[in-house]
Each structure stands twice: as structure tokens, then as C-alpha cells.
Amino acid sequence: MSGVRGFVLAAALAAAAGGAWATDYFVRPDGSDANTGTGNTAAQAFLTVQRGVNACAPAGDRVLVAPGAYVEQVTIRDKALEVLGGITMPGIGAGATVVRMPAGGRVADPSMRTSNTTPPIVNTANQADPTIWVEDTTPATSDVRVNLADLTVDGASLGATALGPVFAGIVYRACKGLIRDCVIENYQDNPPNGAQRGAGIWVDGLNPPLHTATDVTMLRCTIRNVQKGLIVIKVGRGHVTNCSLTGYGPVPFIAQNGIQFSSGADGTADGSTICGFEFDPPGSPDPFASAGVVVFGPTGPLSLAGNYLAGCDVGVYVEDAFGVVGATRVAGNTVSACADVGVYTDAEGGRYEGNALFDPKIGGDAAGDDGTPPNVWTGNQFHDLVAPGARAIPGSPGTSDAGGRPTPNPFGPSVPLFPGGVDPRGIVARDLNADGRADLAFVTSGGNTVEVRYGDGTGGFTRGESVSLPAASIPVALASGLLDAGATVDLAVACENGTVVTLLNDGTGPAWYPAAGIAATITGAGIVGTDRPAAIAVGTVDGVNQDDLLVALAGSPPFFPGGARLLLNDGTGGTFVGSNPFGVISSAQGCALADLDADGDLDAVVSDAGLIMPSVINNVKVFQNTGGTFAAGPVLTAGTGPRGNLCADLDDDGRPEIVQANFGNPFASEKGSVSVFRNTSSGGISFATPSTTECDYGTMAVSSGDAFADTTTGSPHRDVAAVNYGADNVTVLVDWCSFTIGSGGFAFLRTLTGVDLPAGTALADFNGDGAADLTVTNLGTDDLTKYNGVVRALLTFYGLGCRGTAGRIPAIGVEGGLPLQPNLLFAITVSNALPNAGALLAASLGRVDAPGCSLLLASIDLLLVTYTAADGTARFPIPIPETPTLTGTTLYWQWGIFDPNGEFPPPAGGLVSLSNAVCTRLGE
């Protein structure tokens, strides 16, 4: 093994040292096309990307482009080169490199046409009109390879084209290349309409004889606001890995698709997030008009694995009405919240393995089993299946998934934790004693105490401090933060009698909090008994003197209205200066602090249940912080009776959403709910129309975390738990996905029992398995309940790999679907490799992220040796037993193929080609 590791490390060093480009040409927004382009200053660099391309030799040069806006169309013909954006240069800092379609005077080049332009797919009367056009005019030579990286390709200036050009962001015709870390957006009419045109990336081989000349990889690209097809792959090979594709959601004007494979295409789509492709015309909606991935023949072999598809008419749609669809493998995908069907096929000979499928699930013309060979369905998860066993596939009574299994509950059975004193309510989960393990703190409103329990890292707890508060304080809520100059976590408590107290962590233990004494009551805060504090939040509001406090005031109906107060810390954690009340708030029941507008200042969110003034009932009020000064922001309409709330970035875009618990109206038999306000702020503060999900009676409080430990790059899976006080249960809302800019939703709901008048909730990983565990305080039984999170199996793809003979990059794949326990059919495969060659499958406990040709494993911890077959494929079975002790085990896999024309290690004449890599984690 040491010899293998030494070989790989030596090869990695050679890769880092070799492969230099011949000449670099520089482009910056203050350059000049009269310059030489060979330096990165304004006096040397070109002004336009096209001038840089024109200066390049037929092969081996690079165009390095500084951040800024370049309003031009770029044509690259018969040259092998790289165009890299985001290059910092003297006087130009970091930022986006934007290549923007000109508003007028665009090139009308009749030769820029895509193949097989058959209505209604494209308008044959017009040219493609791309922003970036890449082409090999002599594809039989197969010598054009163009790499694009770190570019934003923008068509926002197109406007209303009145049935004009078939506009596109990037077109590759009859050539090869890599499109990496690019954003392609705004290829649409303004406003968008039903015209069948507009593409983000179009990969085009012209006609079947030139299929092998076309091979394009799209890696970590973001594509959005595109009118028709975000990625179209026709008559060629395309690989889509770790991309994010977002459609418009349910719209009446366009039948939109995420990825289209057709007309002789083959390739892969792995590890991508594909959301929001729905067509909902008035009158008679077409159930199969829009799809996350659409395949129609003729096509070659395809592999769709490890993708997350949500909010589509159809998640994956395989249609053979246009010709024979080659062997298709659909494995390990998560398909949720699709309007009509998760996976639909009327083709034959496919394998549908180990997918997690939520309502609606499977459909098709006899599920494709009207031909030979039949499709194979095995090991898929169905969220409405309550026990393992055969599952009939709708439309195909004779076919079933004998290995079908239920989707795991996000939490295990309820476990009583420990007595919680008299009336336990507000709760926080955080590392309180600086030992790296999550702990619990909660208040007892009947016992007037703050209770601290320290986690042991395995799911158990030891008793910590019990801090007494003044008699009749009635503590109802608490929050944690850094309130004094110490580095350990302090606590702040809101009490119904009008007081706010702090518990300062002494930082040394064993008594971390003042268990023997009484907590410090904040004076001078301007809060009185009739204000009735109901919630509290902690954060640095003014940027000085440690964390400050925001307190929600419920008031005392009908004569004393509520409100909210900001308490500014003097740095001691015991003395705070109270602000003036925030605006007009009738009865504040929840509050949060978060940077909503990404300006570095924490803004305030207050839920107003409106118990006093009907004119402002049922609102969520936002206050924008600018340098410590708050101004009234948007007023958001939530459900009836807003209670607790939180701010969390559910969609991984860097802007936190507002998650609001709504109590409902028990007098009208109205159940409670959870509203998610998706953050769309840009400059100011703004939110999309809320997505509201009904829970059960008396929804009081919410917490957010990752109950399945399945959040991965490019595929955020955020879960929300909501306690239902009036129904004695907890609703778990699983896997939030933002389908479009204006909508979103959860994949499915679970109801947890074993609680009694639940009042507070917190999510944290108490047993160290990576999945968040749920704790609930029970007013009815004066105790706490815990549910352990469940580790879901993971399958994610990453990296690029290294070329081999004929420029082919081997592609890693899987059989058997998700790495579930058990899954005796699981296997790691490779395709697109040199035939009849030695092949090594390496596994590692750690990964390396690299943008180009590279080893993607941190070490070689396991090595398996085989040979590729005559078609350039190989496989290794990795049967997975039912072994609970292995749950959470993560391995990273990559293939190496002995190839005399391999790119790894460079320079040219290397010995090895490498595949991309896959991460597998054993789970349920």
C-alpha cells in the first residue's frame, strides 16, 4: 500500500508542476484592445474578451479576465484555449466577471445554428444568437477543447425579442470542453412568455456522425431565469455534475425543463439540485409538460445519479416516442414535491435503483415494461410505504419493486430525558461548558429556575446547575450568547413579571453558572410587569460591548399593549440600556436577530399576534438595522396567531429566511401552521410570498436543523420541527427546497408523539452521529422528551477527473442506488474509459476539492484492481450489510485507468486518466 500511495503522491506533485500554458492574455474593463494584452495593468491588458481570444494561438493559450462587466458576444472557433474569470489584477479587487449580451447590435451570424431545430423545440427561422459561441468547424480532427471558468454569462439586456432569436448563454458545437463554476442567467423574454426558445447551455454535435467530437462537462454551474431549457445536450456527450438549476415554478406561459438529453446524446447528470420546473396553464394543465430531467430518443446510455429534484411536474421523464432510448440508469436520486409524478418512463431496458421517491411517485406506459428488455426497479424508498416489501408500480400491475422500503422517519422513537421541574418551557441547545459537546438549558416557569444539563457526547446528560430566580419571576424564554468579556456562553432569560435576568458563565467550572446564588436582574431596561416579556433574542446589534438583547413584549390585554425593546449591553453582561419601543406592536410573541440584508448589521424580526389592535393582527414585523439604528421594514402577513420564530438560511444562499410558528385559532377549529418567508433581499430587505404548511392545533415554537445529516454542497436539506401545544405532538417538516425565487416547500411531513402540552423545542447533535436530535419541553408532564436524528444514506459526486485517450474523462457511477443498509446490489462503476485497460478503484476516508485534473482523495486507504471491458466500463460490487455500527461511515471513491495518453500526471505523455469522485455514506 505504501508503494501505491507513493506513486499517487509523486503523480500529484508532477501534476502541480507540469502542464503550463503557452501564453497568458489579460483582459480588464479599463484596458484597451490596442494594447499587447500580455500584462495585467490597464496599460497592457485588452479591453474585450474577444480581443483576447483573437490573440490566442490555435492551441495552448489562456485568456485571464478581471472582475467587471464586458458587454459583448464572444466567438471561439477552431482554437483550444481557456477563458478564466475572477482574476484579480492591480487596482481591481475580487468580484464577478460578467459577460453580458449587448442590448443592440448583436451579431446575426447565420452559421450559428443548432442542430435538429424542429419546432416546437426551437424556432428554425432564427440563428442561435449566443453570448458565447464555441465551435470546431472541422470536427473530424477533434482538436478543439475550450475551458470556461468563473464567468457570469448574462442575457438580461435581451428584453422583449418579439419572437426573434433563439437566444442562448453558451453554445458548444462539435467540440469538447469544460464549463466550471459559471453562472448563466436571464435568457428569457422580458416578461417571459410561451415562445419555445431560450437556453442556458446548449451542447450540440450537429449530426450523429459527429457525435464523438462533442464532449462537454458542466461542473458546479448555476443556471436560472432561462425561458425554455437550462441545459440542452443533443447529438453529443454531456456531463452535468454538482450544478444548481432553478426554474420559474408553476407558471402558465412556458413548458420549461432543467436538463434535456435527446437526438443521439449520452452522458451523465450527477449530484445536481434541480428545482422549480412546472407548467400550469389555465384550464387543462399538461401533466408532462415540464421536467427536471427529460430524456427522449434516440439517445445513448445515460446515468442520472445522486441528484435532488423538487417542485417539478415530473422529476425524471424518459420518453421513447421519438426513437430508442439507450440503457438509462436512474440511481440514488431524491425526488420530492413534484406536481404529477416523480419518475415517469415508457422506455425499456432501464434500471431504477435506490431512489428516494416522495408523492407522487412512479408512472408510465406500463412502467416501460411493454418492451424488451424490461425495466428493473429495485431498492427504491417510498415515503408512504410503512413496511418493507413489494410495491406495485401504478400503470403496471405486473411489475413491482421487490426491494421497496419505507423512507426513514427523520427521528427515532421518543425517549423521556429527565424531570424538568415545574412547567419547563423555553429551551436552548448549545455547548455551554466548552467541552465540544452540545448541552441543554431550559427554564421552569412554575419553579422559577433555569436548569442546565451537560451532554456527554453519546446522547446522555449529567445534571449541571439549577439557578434560582426571584420568586414569581415566571421565566418563559431564554437565549444564549456572549454577554460579558468571557469567551464562554452566557444565558439571558425573559420573565413574565417584567424582568430580564442574565446568567454569566464563569468560564472555569465545575459550577459554570451561579447555581448557589440568584441571577442578576437587569435594571433600567424600561420594561414593567404589564409588558409581559414573551421571547428573547441575543446578538451584537451595535457592534460594541458584546451581545445585546431583543425582548418581545406580549402586553396585558385588553388595556396594556405589547411591543419590543432593544437592550444595549455596556459590556459587563449585567447592565443594559433600554431603547425606545419598536413601532406599533400589539402583542409580540416571538423575536429574532439576523443579518437579513447582508450588510453586516443584525436586523430585528418580531411576530405580532395582534391581540389588542385588529388593524395590525397576525403580522411579522421587520426592522432594518443600519449602524445600530433601526427603521421599520416590511410587514409580512403570516398565519393566525404568530408565536415563536427563528431565522435560518434554509436554501444556502447566504440570506436567512424567517420561519414563523402560527398558533391558529382554536375557537374556529383552525390548526396551527409554519410559514417560511424566503429572503429575496438585495440592497434593502424583501421577502417572497410565504410558503405556509399546516401542522396541528396550537403550533407554538419552531427549531431548525439537519435531522438526516444529509445537507451537502449544492443540495441543502434543512428541516424544521414545530411543537403543537394543543395536539400533544410535534410536526417535522422535512427537506426545505426553494423551488423558484418566489416559492418553496417541504418534501414531506412527519408527526411525532410522546409529548404532553409541548412548549419549547431545540435541535442539536447530542450523540455525535452528525444528525440533529430533537428535544421538547412538556408542560403537561413536567419533563423533557428527546428524539434521536436518523443518519440518511448519502451519495454525492464531485470533482472533474483527468483526460485519457481521445480526450475522454472516465466517469464514476453507481449501481444499486443509495448506500443503504442493507444494499447487497451496491457497486461502483466507471464508464467512458480506455477499453481493455488496467483499472484501480481507490477509496479514502477524506476528500480533496480541486478545480481541474487532480487526485480527489486525501489518501489511499483501500485499493481494488480490475480491468475495463471492451466498451470502456468496469465495476466493483460493494455489497452493504445491515450493520448498525457502520452507520455514518463515509468513504470517497475515484477510479484510475492506465492509459498511455493519460493526462495524469502531466505534461503530455502521462500514464493515467482519472474519473471524477463520489462520496458514499452508509445510512438508512
Side-chain angles (χ1 to χ4, degrees):
M1 188 64 67
S2 61
V4 171
R5 184 177 293 109
F7 166 77
V8 172
L9 291 177
L13 292 174
W21 292 82
T23 304
D24 288 340
Y25 292 98
F26 297 86
V27 179
R28 49 187 289 160
D30 56 358
S32 169
D33 283 350
N35 290 336
T36 63
T38 55
N40 63 6
T41 66
Q44 298 169 300
F46 292 137
L47 174 63
T48 64
V49 178
Q50 187 66 60
R51 180 68 179 87
V53 169
N54 293 344
C56 289
D61 292 344
R62 295 193 304 180
V63 181
L64 306 181
V65 191
Y70 301 86
V71 182
E72 57 178 306
Q73 288 176 278
V74 179
T75 300
I76 305 172
R77 277 194 170 107
D78 300 324
K79 290 188 175 184
L81 53 83
E82 279 195 342
V83 179
L84 306 181
I87 307 297
T88 57
M89 298 183 190
I92 299 179
T97 297
V98 182
V99 180
R100 181 167 291 136
M101 178 72 90
R106 297 191 292 273
V107 176
D109 187 343
S111 69
M112 291 184 183
R113 294 180 184 271
T114 51
S115 69
N116 194 25
T117 51
T118 302
I121 304 304
V122 265
N123 185 341
T124 59
N126 299 281
Q127 85 279 2
D129 205 10
T131 302
I132 298 179
W133 175 271
V134 183
E135 180 183 13
D136 186 351
T137 62
T138 58
T141 62
S142 192
D143 58 352
V144 170
R145 180 178 296 277
V146 173
N147 299 336
L148 307 176
D150 297 300
L151 301 173
T152 295
V153 184
D154 181 22
S157 61
L158 285 163
T161 61
L163 301 181
V166 183
F167 39 85
I170 300 173
V171 174
Y172 272 64
R173 187 166 72 170
C175 57
K176 299 179 173 66
L178 167 67
I179 306 171
R180 172 180 61 80
D181 296 307
C182 289
V183 175
I184 299 95
E185 58 187 351
N186 303 321
Y187 286 86
Q188 59 185 20
D189 283 326
N190 189 11
N193 56 49
Q196 297 286 306
R197 62 182 191 278
I201 298 175
W202 190 297
V203 177
D204 196 318
L206 284 178
N207 52 61
L210 298 179
H211 170 278
T212 56
T214 306
D215 191 338
V216 180
T217 295
M218 290 139 277
L219 176 65
R220 296 192 300 265
C221 291
T222 297
I223 308 177
R224 58 201 174 205
N225 291 339
V226 171
Q227 190 158 300
K228 174 56 184 173
L230 275 67
I231 296 178
V232 178
I233 302 168
K234 302 179 67 176
V235 198
R237 177 172 293 119
H239 301 285
V240 182
T241 299
N242 296 141
C243 291
S244 175
L245 311 181
T246 305
Y248 292 102
V251 293
F253 55 74
I254 189 68
Q256 47 184 325
N257 295 310
I259 304 173
Q260 170 187 318
F261 290 96
S262 63
S263 307
D266 63 60
T268 61
D270 301 326
S272 293
T273 299
I274 305 168
C275 295
F277 295 94
E278 292 184 65
F279 183 41
D280 187 20
S284 55
D286 182 349
F288 304 114
S290 294
V293 178
V294 60
V295 178
F296 55 86
T299 63
L302 294 168
S303 175
L304 315 176
N307 301 290
Y308 183 74
L309 302 107
C312 305
D313 281 338
V314 184
V316 177
Y317 181 22
V318 183
E319 167 66 75
D320 66 356
F322 300 93
V324 176
V325 172
T328 301
R329 174 170 283 112
V330 180
N333 302 282
T334 297
V335 186
S336 71
C338 289
D340 296 297
V341 65
V343 177
Y344 180 97
T345 177
D346 63 6
E348 292 80 41
R351 296 187 65 89
Y352 299 83
E353 307 167 318
N355 300 285
L357 300 166
F358 307 123
D359 270 338
K361 294 163 285 296
I362 296 174
D365 179 8
D369 292 328
D370 53 349
T372 302
N375 288 318
V376 175
W377 297 83
T378 181
N380 296 287
Q381 289 183 333
F382 302 94
H383 97 274
D384 63 341
L385 192 64
V386 295
R391 176 185 175 80
I393 296 172
S396 182
T399 302
S400 66
D401 183 351
R405 63 183 78 191
T407 296
N409 198 341
F411 295 100
S414 62
V415 178
L417 271 184
F418 37 70
V422 181
D423 295 338
R425 297 191 62 167
I427 184 172
V428 297
R430 190 167 175 178
D431 182 8
L432 302 176
N433 59 353
D435 64 354
R437 298 178 291 210
D439 309 306
L440 287 174
F442 57 96
V443 299
T444 66
S445 58
N448 292 305
T449 64
V450 178
E451 304 292 326
V452 181
R453 303 289 185 271
Y454 296 120
D456 62 9
T458 65
F461 294 86
T462 60
R463 187 176 181 85
E465 288 78 69
S466 178
V467 183
S468 298
L469 304 184
S473 294
I474 316 177
V476 292
L478 82 165
S480 61
L482 302 178
L483 300 179
D484 62 7
T488 47
V489 177
D490 308 304
L491 299 172
V493 186
C495 303
E496 272 198 358
N497 72 341
T499 61
V500 178
V501 299
T502 58
L503 282 68
L504 301 181
N505 193 322
D506 74 3
T508 60
W512 296 82
Y513 295 96
I518 294 177
T521 301
I522 296 174
T523 59
I527 298 174
V528 297
T530 53
D531 287 333
R532 289 181 57 239
I536 190 167
V538 173
T540 303
V541 169
D542 57 3
V544 297
N545 295 334
Q546 303 302 99
D547 285 345
D548 309 300
L549 307 178
L550 175 66
V551 184
L553 308 174
S556 301
F559 303 110
F560 300 99
R565 274 191 191 273
L566 179 68
L567 309 181
L568 295 177
N569 196 341
D570 72 349
T572 67
T575 302
F576 291 75
V577 177
S579 71
N580 292 325
F582 277 55
V584 177
I585 300 172
S586 299
S587 181
Q589 300 285 339
C591 62
L593 289 168
D595 185 5
L596 301 176
D597 52 2
D599 66 351
D601 295 322
L602 296 183
D603 309 296
V605 178
V606 180
S607 59
D608 187 353
L611 302 182
I612 311 298
M613 301 173 61
S615 62
V616 290
I617 62 171
N618 304 329
N619 291 320
V620 177
K621 298 185 175 179
V622 178
F623 301 89
Q624 186 173 15
N625 178 8
T626 304
T629 300
F630 285 86
V635 177
L636 311 173
T637 301
T640 303
R643 291 298 195 269
N645 58 31
L646 60 86
C647 291
D649 186 6
L650 299 184
D651 55 7
D652 268 356
D653 68 352
R655 300 173 297 188
E657 277 64 54
I658 298 174
V659 183
Q660 177 65 55
N662 307 305
F663 195 83
N665 185 351
F667 300 105
S669 297
E670 178 186 347
K671 291 184 177 181
S673 62
V674 170
S675 295
V676 175
F677 296 90
R678 186 180 178 198
N679 194 334
T680 58
S681 301
S682 179
I685 296 180
S686 61
F687 292 88
T689 302
S691 170
T692 298
T693 304
E694 184 180 82
C695 295
D696 213 326
Y697 291 102
T699 307
M700 281 190 65
V702 286
S703 57
S704 177
D706 185 5
F708 279 127
D710 58 351
T711 293
T712 61
T713 301
S715 184
H717 290 183
R718 301 288 197 267
D719 312 308
V720 170
V723 297
N724 303 308
Y725 179 83
D728 290 336
N729 60 35
V730 181
T731 301
V732 182
L733 301 88
V734 181
D735 281 2
W736 168 266
C737 181
S738 294
F739 303 152
T740 67
I741 290 176
S743 69
F746 293 94
F748 64 98
L749 308 182
R750 285 286 190 266
T751 299
L752 307 180
T753 58
V755 293
D756 190 347
L757 299 181
T761 171
L763 276 165
D765 180 12
F766 295 110
N767 58 8
D769 64 357
D773 308 309
L774 174 64
T775 53
V776 177
T777 56
N778 299 298
L779 283 171
T781 49
D782 290 337
D783 61 5
L784 276 71
T785 300
K786 180 166 75 79
Y787 307 84
N788 290 327
V790 172
V791 178
R792 179 186 282 179
L794 279 186
L795 179 68
T796 59
F797 295 79
Y798 66 99
L800 174 63
C802 302
R803 295 187 294 263
T805 297
R808 294 180 299 188
I809 300 177
I812 199 167
V814 298
E815 292 180 1
L818 292 167
L820 301 165
Q821 298 181 86
N823 183 353
L824 301 181
L825 300 177
F826 191 77
I828 306 289
T829 66
V830 68
S831 60
N832 201 40
L834 182 70
N836 303 312
L840 303 175
L841 176 60
S844 175
L845 294 171
R847 65 183 282 176
V848 174
D849 292 293
C853 171
S854 179
L855 182 68
L856 299 167
L857 309 182
S859 61
I860 306 298
D861 299 309
L862 174 67
L863 194 65
L864 303 172
V865 183
T866 188
Y867 287 89
T868 60
D871 61 355
T873 65
R875 68 186 294 274
F876 252 112
I878 314 288
I880 301 171
E882 181 70 61
T883 310
T885 57
L886 295 179
T887 299
T889 300
T890 302
L891 289 174
Y892 305 90
W893 305 83
Q894 186 175 19
W895 285 93
I897 310 296
F898 289 101
D899 188 328
N901 299 305
E903 182 185 15
F904 183 79
L911 300 174
V912 177
S913 63
L914 296 180
S915 72
N916 57 328
V918 65
C919 164
T920 60
R921 187 184 67 190
L922 302 187
E924 297 188 26

